[in-house]
Amino acid sequence: MSRKISELRKEIDRLDFELLQLLDKRMEYAVCIGKEKVLAKSNIYCPKREQEILQRLKKNALKYLNHEAIDSIYREIFAFSRKLEKVEKVAFFDSASSFAYEVVAKKFGFVGKYLMMQDLASLFRAVQLGEVKYGVIPLENDSGIIKESCELLFKNEAKVIAEVILPLQYSFASNDEKIQNIKKIYLEKAIANQCRDFLKFYGFNEDKWVFVDSSVEVAKMVAKKKHTAIICSNMIARLHNIPIIFENIQDKNNQMRFVVISDFFSQKANKNKTSLLVAIKNKKRADVLLGLLEDIKKYKIGLIKIEEKEIDFFSHFYLELEGYFEDKNLQEFLRKRSKELKLLGSYPREL
Ligand code: PHB
């Protein structure tokens, strides 16, 4: 090793020592805050505070640490702080490709205490019974707001307290460096549909495809087996140490929106969003829609999204509005519509 490198490494070792001391000091403050929170019976997880810290740090442009780096480093710091303040469980439901786990790691860090649920209804039950403090659920995909999530939010008391927008990125991972050796590619049907150009370009024809229900379940096997590959989320490949040969192989960039649910209302942040459902009872849809839009205009509320959803055979409008539910204009709107409306939550706006 050159003298130069060993000198530079000494500097790094010295800085690491300082960093650890600083982080430890930071944790000490977090522990004190935790004690205060427990005394005041307030909630440990504070999406508003996390967003404020991240925004402030990102404003101080640094030479090497970009926004992505700040996000991932601070996620882990927050997660560890929270864990020291009080251990709280997070439940998630993974239908298939394990994006929910990616969201959980992005929002709560790798060191959290996680519980994977079999279905969305059990996840809501666990939150309702206090078996877990938080739940991460998918809310919106390419086709719009997800009906089952909407239905469960309507029927349960859990509140939406944060949102996470996740780009759906797939990787081609294999232990075989030579892609011509690969005989079988394990993938979900939906993923195959989203990576058609890639598969065609490399001549991975359908005779090599093996459809699976869940890439999470087969990843362990692919990690050990020769001449096989898997197409899955980057996180799954990394978790099972399957070398990623190609990244971001999807035909187009789709994204998914997840939300965090819990048993309390999120605090007001700089920019907020409010989600609610309005029942269309014994009236014409057009009349209800018109009335709603008139009220939104009258109370000067920003409209982000409106989508019709059927819940228990009854039509509803799912609405996303700008602002926090305690803002004056939103309060007036909510009061006026109180009989037909269910407030799902207000939370820091990510986009
Ligand atoms: C922290 O500053 O360590 C912190 C802030 C908010 C949280 C968790 C941790 O929700």
Side-chain angles (χ1 to χ4, degrees):
M1 199 196 319
S2 75
R3 239 187 90 182
K4 181 89 187 149
I5 290 186
S6 71
E7 274 169 18
L8 290 170
R9 285 196 170 154
K10 259 192 206 135
E11 273 309 296
I12 285 185
D13 291 346
R14 194 181 56 76
L15 282 175
D16 279 342
F17 183 72
E18 265 180 48
L19 271 174
L20 268 192
Q21 305 273 322
L22 284 172
L23 280 173
D24 203 55
K25 185 93 202 146
R26 194 188 189 287
M27 294 302 164
E28 203 172 312
Y29 288 123
V31 170
C32 294
I33 292 178
K35 283 186 187 147
E36 292 296 315
K37 282 182 183 169
V38 171
L39 276 179
K41 292 200 168 61
S42 57
N43 298 296
I44 301 294
Y45 176 44
C46 184
K48 165 190 182 257
R49 171 84 179 134
E50 292 188 9
Q51 196 190 48
E52 277 168 4
I53 294 175
L54 291 174
Q55 279 172 350
R56 189 162 25 81
L57 291 170
K58 288 174 188 173
K59 266 194 208 144
N60 298 319
L62 290 167
K63 200 163 153 197
Y64 298 111
L65 285 193
N66 61 14
H67 288 192
E68 196 189 347
I70 292 176
D71 267 333
S72 61
I73 293 170
Y74 270 82
R75 273 301 142 233
E76 294 307 316
I77 293 179
F78 292 152
F80 207 75
S81 287
R82 264 190 265 111
K83 205 169 156 182
L84 286 176
E85 289 182 22
K86 191 178 169 196
V87 178
E88 288 181 319
K89 280 193 218 154
V90 183
F92 66 101
F93 161 63
D94 237 330
S95 55
S97 344
S98 196
F99 282 107
Y101 186 68
E102 203 149 334
V103 171
V104 169
K106 195 173 162 190
K107 203 75 189 167
F108 293 94
F110 280 100
V111 293
K113 199 156 184 200
Y114 302 127
L115 213 67
M116 186 163 149
M117 310 303 286
Q118 293 306 312
D119 51 61
L120 273 180
S122 332
L123 184 151
F124 272 85
R125 208 171 309 119
V127 174
Q128 195 105 332
L129 294 174
E131 287 168 6
V132 297
K133 183 73 181 173
Y134 310 102
V136 173
I137 62 160
L139 183 68
E140 188 175 5
N141 58 23
D142 278 1
S143 325
I145 297 292
I146 297 163
K147 188 171 180 275
E148 192 187 359
S149 303
C150 212
E151 219 161 49
L152 285 161
L153 281 170
F154 182 73
K155 289 180 183 166
N156 286 277
E157 286 315 307
K159 305 285 175 279
V160 177
I161 61 160
E163 67 174 347
V164 190
I165 293 149
L166 192 80
L168 300 187
Q169 294 169 335
Y170 297 105
S171 291
F172 181 91
S174 172
N175 275 318
D176 252 302
E177 278 168 27
K178 287 197 184 126
I179 58 172
Q180 56 273 32
N181 287 349
I182 291 168
K183 306 242 172 353
K184 281 183 184 167
I185 301 167
Y186 293 87
L187 76 183
E188 291 164 29
K189 218 173 208 163
I191 297 180
N193 281 330
Q194 289 175 52
C195 303
R196 282 196 178 271
D197 294 346
F198 166 86
L199 290 162
K200 201 168 161 196
F201 185 82
Y202 284 96
F204 295 131
N205 299 326
E206 293 191 25
D207 56 333
K208 290 197 171 132
W209 302 358
V210 183
F211 285 138
V212 295
D213 287 336
S214 155
S215 36
V216 185
E217 278 160 25
V218 289
K220 217 185 209 163
M221 182 268 290
V222 174
K224 291 191 206 122
K225 223 170 162 184
K226 279 199 148 193
H227 310 310
T228 60
I230 184 168
I231 296 185
C232 57
S233 73
N234 302 9
M235 171 89 59
I236 288 301
R238 267 187 272 136
L239 273 180
H240 292 278
N241 282 327
I242 315 174
I244 294 176
I245 299 177
F246 300 103
E247 242 175 340
N248 283 342
I249 59 165
Q250 63 282 355
D251 299 341
K252 64 178 172 78
N253 288 326
N254 293 327
Q255 58 181 31
M256 207 156 157
R257 193 153 63 101
F258 290 80
V259 289
V260 181
I261 57 168
S262 191
D263 58 356
F264 63 94
F265 279 103
S266 195
Q267 281 177 4
K268 188 174 172 175
N270 285 342
K271 278 192 175 163
N272 304 275
K273 233 184 212 183
T274 294
S275 289
L276 39 100
L277 278 161
V278 180
I280 309 175
K281 281 185 192 152
N282 313 320
K283 277 187 233 158
K284 287 194 183 124
R285 282 149 74 217
D287 292 344
V288 177
L289 184 58
L290 199 63
L292 267 178
L293 294 177
E294 272 168 3
D295 280 348
I296 289 169
K297 189 170 167 216
K298 180 175 155 197
Y299 295 113
K300 296 192 174 62
I301 303 169
L303 174 64
I304 301 167
K305 184 181 285 294
I306 182 160
E307 221 182 285
E308 194 179 356
K309 285 282 152 219
E310 199 183 273
I311 299 176
D312 286 345
F313 308 108
F314 282 105
S315 228
H316 288 73
F317 285 115
Y318 170 85
L319 285 171
E320 252 165 47
L321 305 173
E322 276 175 18
Y324 189 71
F325 74 100
E326 283 175 336
D327 292 347
K328 194 167 172 280
N329 58 345
L330 269 167
Q331 276 286 303
E332 282 170 2
F333 172 76
L334 295 176
R335 210 174 302 129
K336 178 160 181 209
R337 296 260 164 190
S338 63
K339 284 206 185 84
E340 58 202 313
L341 172 152
K342 170 149 180 177
L343 174 63
L344 304 179
S346 290
Y347 43 96
R349 189 173 176 177
E350 293 269 313
L351 259 190

